[in-house]
């Protein structure tokens, strides 16, 4: 068996120990004689899996008791609509911070439901930084402030959590959740698609402060009402059971490996050495303001784009896969989530140095 280092932005690598455990438990979960995929979501076996996953996530992120944790279908993209549907609560405007491709999608969806005030945008510098707190033009009457702490395509990450006073802060943490400890109490809603730094595709994790639940705009489908899912422990309909189970295994793996403080240390070290390799060369470049560089998604270009295909070919020959940059950015993108071993980053840096020597 030859496992590769997969730098995909999502679906992304999973910890090998998690996959192995899933393999061992595939045919017969804990003596039940069933695969988790075959279990009723209402049976005691799956309910115990679901509860353990939530308990472990709560412990990892130190989620306060006044927050609900929901495991929902529809990915992060459904949250672009669920957030306004549940958080407008009689108001007619919301603030959005625009830092790139994913912010834009959230904004476009938000506009279907309310007046969107762009509290800040970095479009003029081609989305290569996060705006400073002092640059945010926040409206005290806004229903909420939405931002994207980590822009997965541009590789831009906020180095701080915006202060929004009494206005609830909403964060699309799809590509940065679990990468480091955060203070959940600063947020009204945190949501994340699972397929980046949690587990396999097919689920979103939503962490929502309980006073923000229960009032929706007219016409909100039951499935888009947070209250529906709170009342039914995220089992109003059949949940994505296998994804939930694998996410639970990933949470247990994180706990066993030192939790988010240990992850933060490793993630920062992995990112720093890759940025150093880019910055210390005239052959590779990353356009993002050093203060706002992502720990998770690191785009870089080659001095001569004609060499991109050769770079990808040599990377692939060394088992370094899915490094091609997003079609809107070009060049390369290395996504190095929690499950990317440090040895994978080292191997990429080695290839970069070697490639530059021969082609630079
Ligand atoms: C991937 C991603 C999304 C979309 O997630 P889906 O689960 O595919 O809907 C949204 N926001 C960010 C920041 C992402 O990285």
């Amino acid at each position: 068996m030859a496992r590769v280092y997969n730098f995909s932005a999502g679906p992304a690598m999973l910890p090998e120990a998690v996959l192995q455990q899933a393999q061992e438990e595939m045919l017969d979960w804990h003596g039940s004689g069933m695969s988790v995929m075959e279990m009723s979501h209402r049976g005691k076996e799956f309910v115990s899996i679901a509860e353990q996953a939530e308990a472990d996530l709560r412990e990892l992120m130190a989620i306060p008791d006044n927050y609900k944790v929901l495991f929902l279908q529809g990915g992060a993209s459904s949250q672009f609509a669920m957030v306004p549907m549940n958080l407008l609560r009689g108001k007619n405007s919301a603030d959005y911070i625009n830092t790139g491709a994913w912010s834009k999608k959230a904004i476009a969806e938000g506009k279907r439901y309310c007046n969107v005030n762009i509290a800040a945008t970095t479009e003029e510098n081609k989305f290569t930084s996060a705006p400073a707190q002092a640059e945010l033009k926040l409206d005290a009457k806004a229903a909420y402030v939405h931002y994207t702490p980590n822009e997965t395509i541009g590789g831009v990450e906020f180095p701080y959590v915006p202060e929004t006073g009494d206005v609830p802060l909403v964060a699309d943490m799809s590509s940065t959740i679990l990468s480091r400890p955060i203070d959940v109490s600063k947020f009204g809603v945190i949501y994340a698609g699972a397929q980046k730094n949690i587990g396999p595709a097919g689920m979103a994790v939503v962490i929502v402060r309980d006073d923000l639940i229960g009032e929706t705009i007219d016409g909100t489908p039951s499935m888009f009402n947070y209250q529906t899912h709170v009342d039914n422990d995220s089992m109003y309909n059949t949940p994505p059971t296998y994804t939930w189970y694998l996410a639970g295994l990933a949470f247990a793996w994180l706990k066993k490996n030192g939790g988010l403080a240990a992850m933060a240390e490793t993630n920062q070290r992995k990112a720093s050495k890759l940025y150093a390799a880019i910055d210390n060369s005239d052959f590779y470049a990353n356009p993002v303001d050093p203060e706002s560089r992502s720990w998770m998604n690191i785009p870089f270009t080659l001095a001569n784009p004609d060499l991109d295909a050769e770079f990808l070919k040599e990377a692939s020959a060394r088992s370094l896969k899915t490094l091609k940059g997003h079609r809107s950015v070009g060049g390369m993108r290395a996504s190095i989530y929690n499950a990317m071993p440090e040895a994978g980053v080292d191997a990429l840096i080695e290839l970069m140095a070697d490639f530059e020597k021969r082609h630079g």
Side-chain angles (χ1 to χ4, degrees):
M1 181 191 68
R3 298 264 305 157
V4 300
Y5 293 117
N6 174 12
F7 292 88
S8 168
M13 284 186 87
L14 290 165
E16 197 167 304
V18 164
L19 295 175
Q20 263 162 3
Q21 189 177 345
Q23 182 181 44
E24 281 158 23
E25 297 176 345
M26 173 64 77
L27 296 182
D28 176 10
W29 183 83
H30 294 203
S32 66
M34 278 183 271
S35 164
V36 174
M37 276 180 270
E38 302 168 301
M39 289 176 182
S40 163
H41 55 296
R42 311 217 182 266
K44 66 176 188 328
E45 291 90 353
F46 186 75
V47 168
S48 76
I49 289 169
E51 286 177 351
Q52 190 63 48
E54 177 175 340
D56 285 346
L57 181 63
R58 282 185 175 275
E59 185 182 329
L60 278 170
M61 293 181 71
I63 299 173
D65 289 344
N66 63 324
Y67 285 76
K68 302 292 187 200
V69 178
L70 305 175
F71 297 85
L72 307 181
Q73 295 173 67
S77 299
S78 286
Q79 296 308 310
F80 296 161
M82 272 180 100
V83 163
M85 285 176 160
N86 288 268
L87 263 63
L88 281 170
R89 302 187 308 142
K91 301 198 172 184
N92 61 9
S93 78
D95 286 350
Y96 280 74
I97 303 173
N98 182 11
T99 48
W102 288 112
S103 301
K104 282 185 170 183
K105 285 208 158 175
I107 289 165
E109 194 72 1
K111 281 182 174 166
R112 296 163 58 93
Y113 304 100
C114 66
N115 297 318
V116 166
N117 168 46
I118 304 297
T121 174
T122 52
E123 190 145 26
E124 70 280 359
N125 70 24
K126 299 202 172 71
F127 298 121
T128 52
S129 67
Q133 173 77 41
E135 293 170 306
L136 306 180
K137 294 196 179 60
L138 299 174
D139 172 6
K141 291 198 289 293
Y144 58 88
V145 180
H146 181 284
Y147 84 120
T148 312
N150 185 69
E151 284 282 358
T152 319
I153 294 173
V156 173
E157 185 151 20
F158 276 72
Y160 70 100
V161 176
E163 288 295 338
T164 58
D166 291 336
V167 180
L169 179 62
V170 178
D172 173 2
M173 286 203 189
S174 293
S175 49
T176 185
I177 193 167
L178 301 176
S179 68
R180 75 198 76 189
I182 53 156
D183 179 356
V184 173
S185 72
K186 290 188 165 171
F187 299 87
V189 177
I190 291 169
Y191 64 88
Q195 68 279 14
K196 278 130 189 184
N197 216 13
I198 295 176
M203 192 174 77
V205 169
V206 182
I207 302 165
V208 50
R209 212 174 64 211
D210 55 16
D211 61 291
L212 301 173
I213 300 166
E215 190 183 336
T216 52
I217 62 172
D218 285 349
T220 299
S222 306
M223 280 292 286
F224 274 59
N225 186 339
Y226 290 142
Q227 187 76 57
T228 304
H229 300 292
V230 169
D231 291 345
N232 293 280
D233 298 324
S234 303
M235 297 191 195
Y236 173 71
N237 72 327
T238 315
T241 49
Y242 202 72
T243 296
W244 195 336
Y245 156 72
L246 279 178
L249 295 187
F251 300 152
W253 175 81
L254 283 169
K255 272 177 58 179
K256 202 170 138 199
N257 286 278
L260 301 193
M263 262 324 117
E265 210 181 296
T266 313
N267 286 331
Q268 186 169 32
R269 195 171 59 237
K270 278 155 56 184
S272 299
K273 61 167 89 166
L274 185 47
Y275 285 118
I278 294 166
D279 290 344
N280 295 336
S281 117
D282 294 326
F283 188 73
Y284 302 104
N286 167 289
V288 179
D289 162 34
E291 290 277 286
S292 313
R293 282 175 162 179
S294 170
W295 288 5
M296 297 279 103
N297 311 96
I298 304 183
F300 62 93
T301 52
L302 277 53
N304 176 4
D306 292 343
L307 291 170
D308 284 2
E310 178 60 22
F311 184 90
L312 288 165
K313 197 173 126 205
E314 293 189 20
S316 184
R318 294 185 188 205
S319 297
L320 308 174
K321 303 285 182 178
T322 338
L323 278 160
K324 192 174 167 53
H326 190 271
R327 58 192 181 280
S328 65
V329 177
M332 308 297 149
R333 173 175 52 172
S335 294
I336 52 173
Y337 300 116
N338 289 344
M340 170 61 69
E342 191 158 359
V345 177
D346 292 338
L348 173 59
I349 292 169
E350 207 177 291
L351 163 70
M352 288 166 70
D354 185 46
F355 190 89
E356 180 177 359
K357 237 180 259 158
R358 285 178 289 107
H359 299 280

